[in-house]
Amino acid sequence: MGSMMYKTGLSTWVGDLIIGGLGGSVSQVTMVAIFSVLALLMAELTSHTAATNMIGPLAITAAMSAGLSPVPICIGIALASSLGFMLPVSTPPNAIVYATGYIPITRMLHSGVIIDFVGIAFVTIPLVVYFVTWVVGI
């Protein structure tokens, strides 16, 4: 699916739309945060592999359109798409836990939201700090 997004030009078009919608100039931190959150939200509703395959090509072309390195953004997407713990559809272990009947969906949603917020902070902040120090050479 991701390769088809490249071949048809869809990823370039959507990437340019994202950069244009953000005003043309965007920082590495903003890009990592935006695409990490998109990957996380998509991973809550689909499989993690599908979320990564859909968001990855968009992030790469958007980063290239903005003149940024796509590496930290892709790492953020890969890590954030593994944080889907809110719904039973996210992962098979979630479905197994929900199917036991001991954990209601409301408790899964509450716990999943907490994990999502903490996880995005832990994915985004260290990744950006590491990349910036690597580029600057500190």
Side-chain angles (χ1 to χ4, degrees), residues 26-110:
V26 63
S27 70
Q28 191 81 39
V29 175
T30 305
M31 291 290 282
V32 170
I34 288 171
F35 283 107
S36 294
V37 169
L38 283 174
L40 172 64
L41 293 175
M42 192 161 221
E44 291 290 0
L45 303 173
T46 63
S47 79
H48 299 180
T49 305
T52 304
N53 281 332
M54 291 295 293
I55 300 295
L58 299 177
I60 292 169
T61 54
M64 293 170 66
S65 294
L68 301 170
S69 172
V71 174
I73 300 167
C74 291
I75 293 171
I77 290 170
L79 295 173
S81 66
S82 299
L83 296 172
F85 296 108
M86 203 163 47
L87 297 172
V89 73
S90 298
T91 63
N94 288 7
I96 292 168
V97 167
Y98 180 70
T100 64
Y102 293 113
I103 307 292
I105 192 73
T106 54
R107 186 164 179 200
M108 287 184 74
L109 288 170
H110 182 264

